[in-house]
Amino acid sequence: MKQQLLVCLALFTSIGYAQISIDELNINSQLTDTIQFSIWEVHTKEMSTPGDTEKEYKKELKRVTLSKEDQELIIAKLKDPESYIQERALLYHYDLVFLFYKEDVVVTEVRISTLTGNIDIDNKLTKSSIKSKCANPMKSVLLNLLKKHEFLSED
């Protein structure tokens, strides 16, 4: 019985992410000609307090097209395995969105939560995805992009 418990415990605590690798998402500058970066105001049922009468909503606050330099930077960070931590918060809340376009068609969508650090990457061409959490190197790049494009208020 003790052995079975140890085997079960070992299996449950091992990394069980049956996801593809970052390389298989095929994020590169040849498949992208434009990247749109937007910030959203999101209010979900998960974020409500008891007695809150406000409905769920999602509203885009600002959108910019990234320069080629910023595109290369975000692509490099997305391809870097050091940009991710193998954990996730349960709250579903995404307020930063990167849309990668090739010839006016969205080929990749990256959604990031500033509240939890969760990141979801969906390749629309291959129908593959990764769900992870941003590590500090990725967070610093995101913070710099937010400041550069004046998404942060100085209050």
Side-chain angles (χ1 to χ4, degrees):
M1 180 69 171
K2 210 178 219 185
Q3 286 179 328
Q4 289 176 342
L5 183 61
L6 289 175
V7 169
C8 288
L9 185 61
L11 290 174
F12 287 130
T13 59
S14 67
I15 296 177
Y17 301 101
Q19 297 183 17
I20 62 172
S21 71
I22 297 294
D23 294 332
E24 292 177 61
L25 274 177
N26 206 15
I27 298 172
N28 61 50
S29 54
Q30 287 78 29
L31 293 177
T32 304
D33 53 31
T34 307
I35 298 177
Q36 293 280 319
F37 178 36
S38 58
I39 188 166
W40 293 75
E41 180 180 347
V42 180
H43 183 81
T44 64
K45 188 165 53 171
E46 296 170 318
M47 300 170 66
S48 299
T49 57
D52 194 356
T53 59
E54 197 155 346
K55 296 186 187 304
E56 293 187 35
Y57 65 88
K58 185 176 178 180
K59 178 174 80 172
E60 186 176 38
L61 299 176
K62 187 173 182 180
R63 177 184 294 233
V64 297
T65 301
L66 296 181
S67 66
K68 288 293 181 190
E69 177 184 303
D70 288 342
Q71 287 183 35
E72 292 297 326
L73 175 65
I74 198 67
I75 288 171
K77 276 299 163 195
L78 287 172
K79 292 171 80 173
D80 183 4
E82 298 293 317
S83 295
Y84 307 98
I85 303 171
Q86 291 299 321
E87 60 184 51
R88 297 263 303 166
L90 294 176
L91 184 63
Y92 181 79
H93 170 271
Y94 298 97
D95 52 349
L96 300 181
V97 177
F98 291 90
L99 295 176
F100 292 61
Y101 289 90
K102 180 67 173 182
E103 298 172 1
D104 295 328
V105 175
V106 176
V107 292
T108 305
E109 181 178 2
V110 178
R111 294 176 310 280
I112 302 170
S113 170
T114 57
L115 189 63
T116 64
N118 286 351
I119 180 169
D120 291 359
I121 305 171
D122 295 320
N123 185 314
K124 305 295 185 182
L125 300 175
T126 63
K127 306 286 190 237
S128 54
S129 67
I130 288 181
K131 296 179 185 307
S132 193
K133 188 170 182 175
C134 294
N136 286 337
M138 176 67 86
K139 289 178 183 178
S140 65
V141 167
L142 293 172
L143 188 59
N144 288 336
L145 283 174
L146 288 167
K147 288 178 183 175
K148 180 178 181 177
H149 295 288
E150 299 175 352
F151 283 10
L152 297 176
S153 61
E154 297 295 324
D155 323 21

